[in-house]
Amino acid sequence: MPQPTSLCVYCGSSSGKHPEYVEQARAFGTEMARRGIALVYGGGKVGLMGTVADAVLAAGGKVIGVIPRQLVDLEVAHADLTELVVVETMHQRKTRMFELSDAFVALPGGFGTMDEMFEMLTWAQLGLHRYPCAFLDVRGYYTQLRAMMDHMVDERFVRPEQRESVWFGQDMQQLFDWMEGYQGSHTPKWIDRSSVEA
């Protein structure tokens, strides 16, 4: 596929324990703007979410935030975005972010980041999209998750092709290069005969 035009970034509303998380989030946003890639994200101005958005804006890029009404105050909605979309539910938020994006990247984050990214991985597994999904592994944050995905393959719950379609790494330039060369494909879910026999 060509370089993404709108990249959905999932990341924490916290800044995390180590300064490098913020540094890499800022660098990632700056690189997105340099490449002319719009940011789609959760709409907050705090934590890594705010850091990425501010970096894109500071470098002259476009930022679209999508946030549920109930979280406008809790996540402190960013008031200075190119566009802020306020929706009614978390389900609407995830759907709208998907509709606006053609690639998905997870920076370090917590339960929400995992929830949103794994939904995109599941939709890819089901053939609902063929967009790239990647984890930027700052400070080895996703090392154990990567090992868990490999374990899923070993135990025959995930097909090797599905696992191999997900990028993990620490190098931003390699990540953007990988997305540009990504060839989306669909490998059906692994359903054993024993799962459907009465």
Side-chain angles (χ1 to χ4, degrees), residues 68 70-71 87-95 115-116:
Q70 70 194 65
L71 296 183
V87 296
E88 296 303 320
T89 69
M90 288 293 290
H91 293 295
Q92 291 174 351
R93 178 197 221 179
K94 290 190 283 188
T95 299
D115 169 54
E116 291 169 318

Side-chain angles (χ1 to χ4, degrees), residues 170-186:
Q170 300 179 19
D171 190 304
M172 278 192 303
Q173 300 302 323
Q174 289 181 6
L175 169 54
F176 284 107
D177 290 345
W178 173 81
M179 285 192 291
E180 284 191 40
Y182 182 79
Q183 299 292 325
S185 61
H186 174 234

Side-chain angles (χ1 to χ4, degrees), residues 49-177:
M49 294 171 66
T51 298
V52 174
D54 287 340
V56 174
L57 292 168
K62 178 180 179 180
V63 179
I64 303 172
V66 184
I67 191 168
R69 195 174 306 280
Q70 70 194 65
L71 296 183
V72 168
D73 294 329
L74 183 63
E75 292 191 354
V76 195
H78 202 306
D80 300 317
L81 305 179
T82 310
E83 181 180 357
L84 180 64
V85 179
V86 179
V87 296
E88 296 303 320
T89 69
M90 288 293 290
H91 293 295
Q92 291 174 351
R93 178 197 221 179
K94 290 190 283 188
T95 299
R96 188 65 184 132
M97 291 168 75
F98 167 73
E99 292 170 345
L100 292 168
S101 307
D102 54 10
F104 304 91
V105 172
L107 303 184
F111 290 160
T113 299
M114 296 298 97
D115 169 54
E116 291 169 318
M117 191 62 170
F118 270 85
E119 184 153 27
M120 291 304 102
L121 295 176
T122 302
W123 288 10
Q125 186 183 54
L126 295 173
L128 301 179
H129 75 79
R130 296 188 179 183
Y131 297 141
C133 295
F135 290 84
L136 188 62
D137 193 15
V138 182
R139 287 186 52 85
Y141 185 77
Y142 286 119
T143 299
Q144 294 180 26
L145 178 62
R146 183 176 188 171
M148 183 64 208
M149 287 191 183
D150 292 339
H151 182 59
M152 292 174 182
V153 173
D154 291 341
E155 297 299 311
R156 292 175 58 87
F157 286 103
V158 173
R159 287 187 180 275
E161 300 89 343
Q162 293 164 344
R163 165 63 189 89
E164 290 163 6
S165 71
V166 184
W167 187 90
F168 283 84
Q170 300 179 19
D171 190 304
M172 278 192 303
Q173 300 302 323
Q174 289 181 6
L175 169 54
F176 284 107
D177 290 345

